[in-house]
Amino acid sequence: MIEFKNVHKTFEGRASVHALRGVDLSIPSGEIFGIIGQSGAGKSTLVRCINMLERPDSGEVWVDGVLMNSLSPKELSKSRKRIGMVFQHFNLLNSRTVFQNIAFPLELARYPKKDIVERVTVLAELVGLTDKLQGYPGQLSGGQKQRVGIARALATQPRLLLCDEATSALDPDTTISVLRLLKDINERLKLTIIVITHEMQVIQEICDQVAVMENGTVQETGRVVDVFTRPRSRAARSMLQGFWDPKLPSALQSTGNTILRLTFANQKVHQPVIAQLVRTCGVDVNILYGRIDQLKTAPFGILLVELVGSNEQRSQSIAFLQENQVEVEVFNP
Ligand SMILES: Nc1ncnc2c1ncn2[C@@H]1O[C@H](COP(=O)(O)OP(=O)(O)OP(=O)(O)O)[C@@H](O)[C@H]1O
Ligand SMILES: [Mg+2]
């Protein structure tokens, strides 16, 4: 479990930047936890405070019951071996082979040579790079480079993996394959993974919980399905807007009829709620847009519908949908 308690961090300079403004956040063990927010929100700073690459000015950072701020340099360096880090631009050593890159943290930790060979072999297999061990980073694709980065981060058997925009430099297909690898690692090794991203898709694919950051604060946290279906903060809503909703043609926006945005989660996706709505409330429903998708493992659907009927029928319809656990919002394009 990782806990931030009222963490503040200011970068002093010609213009000082208050990058973290009283962050409180709990990250449970064993899950994939996403941190999302616009550029400059403070995501990287927050995560770098976990292993004290950045020191908070005030507040506490706890990792598995240890107050990280209070550690001596020696204790800190020991703790850092339990925390792996993966970066957007891989940060590989280009003059070293793949084997030597993965082995690097083990050499620093003075593992015996035989153990290093064994460990690197296991890691290469885990990330699917067994046949590339003698190659150099310059000979690898972006996805393969990131697999080396992940293997290296896992070398000293961390309990926690921090990924800062690990897929931001990759194309969509490669992104998916690296995300699958992270999910697989989380399940197999049972380690906690923190994923920083500005892409909703990353959260959608692999995260259990998410924190939405804005301007140095955490605006909202929760299970991904809850934040995606019932965002409470303006920050979460604005991150989701471009992700789920289409742009409706202007002709459709000005019909004067009510347009509703319906969100279905879990079992509701399987039920013929719209057919029941038409039968029960006698309203005509014009479907403008629909999408069904998956949040990690849970099905999730969105419909934009136009209701044609009397005022009374429309209010009855909204009540009916809400009684059936469908999230209803009047859609303002
Ligand atoms: N070492 C530093 N010195 C001065 N200012 C910094 C430093 N690191 C970060 N900042 C500032 O702190 C704020 C938060 O930065 P941070 O890198 O944490 O944002 P971020 O959410 O990770 O953004 P991005 O999505 O662009 O990576 C920004 O305004 C940034 O300019
Ligand atoms: Mg960042």
Side-chain angles (χ1 to χ4, degrees), residues 8-69:
H8 283 266
K9 173 76 186 175
T10 300
F11 293 104
E12 301 296 351
R14 265 196 304 162
S16 70
V17 179
H18 200 167
L20 300 178
R21 300 166 185 249
V23 171
D24 290 300
L25 183 64
S26 296
I27 299 178
S29 297
E31 292 198 345
I32 306 188
F33 193 97
I35 298 179
I36 191 158
Q38 306 287 4
S39 183
K43 307 179 296 293
S44 297
T45 307
L46 182 70
V47 164
R48 289 163 62 83
C49 283
I50 294 175
N51 52 8
M52 295 292 133
L53 286 178
E54 295 296 353
R55 274 197 178 268
D57 301 328
S58 62
E60 297 176 353
V61 180
W62 294 83
V63 178
D64 291 337
V66 175
L67 180 58
M68 298 300 281
N69 323 47

